[in-house]
Amino acid sequence: MTFPPSPLVGRFAPSPTGAMHLGNARTALLAWLHSRALGGQHLLRFEDLDSGRVRPWAYDVTRRDLEWLGLDWDAESRQSGRLDVYAAALARLTRAGETYPCTCTRREVLEAIQDSAGAPHGAEPVYPGTCRARPSDPQRPAATRWKVPDQTVCAHDSLTGETLCQHLLREVGDFVLQRNDAVFAYHLAVVVDDALTGVTDVVRGADLWPATPRQVALQWTLGFATPRYLHVPLLTDFRGERLAKRGGAPSVQALREAGEAPGRVLAALARSLGWDVPGAVQAAELLPLWRGHLSAAGFLPKSQT
Ligand code: GLU
């Protein structure tokens, strides 16, 4: 019997807000290696709900970058084409009395946080639930917030072995599922998409690890299975700061157009993970290294590497 049980479905979910930089490319590589090393399907999902941030050219550039690196996919979707699916999930929560409209402005929310006993917790301000009890103002556009469970929810990472538990009401607060400009929030869309497209394994950047318990809680409430999570470290620059599309990090497109060889870029990405590879490699040559990495992490029995 193989482990994990097939069929495995993995995905890479870029936001088409700019050109992929090397950090995005490394996450894309690892997500692809995971799907393919374990004989799974691999999905490409453009997370493009926030139309104000989307750059229309970025879809095509991302596809070309992935193809250039030799990272293929079996199916492609765009969140902007699936609004009815998110609306249906939100309607289910609303019918169950799980949501409430909220017309607080950002400033009012911040003031409420300052006034509340539960002042900001850690890096993230906790919404104190002001609109839960207060009727919303029909004159203003309303966001929809989720009444998060008053309990501790834990997420497990299958790669790092870490478990992260958060008391959602105290540490996160009721979060927005649909903004007041009707844009569905990332947490709702990602949970709905992963579930409805049969994703079993989520390989993504470690920046999303702190948000995982709230996604797990949404899965429970919507009756969805929780996929396996594997968070991978973000690539940092020489100062140790994570690369950002806005920060002028080298884009894959620039390297591609400058005539760089994709094998050298893949080799550099593999070396940044501490893997010992020659100066140029093909993506498929890295499959055994990822399997080895999974075995070392205890994800895969040693016999399968
Ligand atoms: N779209 C997110 C990003 O580009 C990734 C979301 C996810 O993998 O869950 O950072």
Side-chain angles (χ1 to χ4, degrees), residues 11-17 24 27 45-48 79 186 190-191 194 202-205 207-208 215 229 231 242 245:
R11 46 65 157 194
F12 175 56
S15 308
T17 55
N24 305 131
T27 303
R45 179 172 80 226
F46 285 107
E47 301 208 323
D48 58 351
Q79 289 186 327
Y186 157 71
V190 79
V191 160
D194 284 339
V202 172
V203 176
R204 63 183 182 187
D207 53 328
L208 291 163
Q215 296 180 6
Y229 286 102
H231 289 88
R242 66 186 262 209
K245 285 177 185 161

Side-chain angles (χ1 to χ4, degrees), residues 45 79 82-90 92-93 184-199 215 218-219 222 224:
R45 179 172 80 226
Q79 289 186 327
R82 293 169 52 78
L83 301 185
D84 50 338
V85 182
Y86 315 128
L90 185 59
R92 270 171 60 199
L93 293 173
F184 292 105
Y186 157 71
H187 296 302
L188 177 68
V190 79
V191 160
V192 169
D193 275 340
D194 284 339
L196 299 190
T197 59
V199 167
Q215 296 180 6
L218 263 180
Q219 287 152 2
L222 286 164
F224 297 147

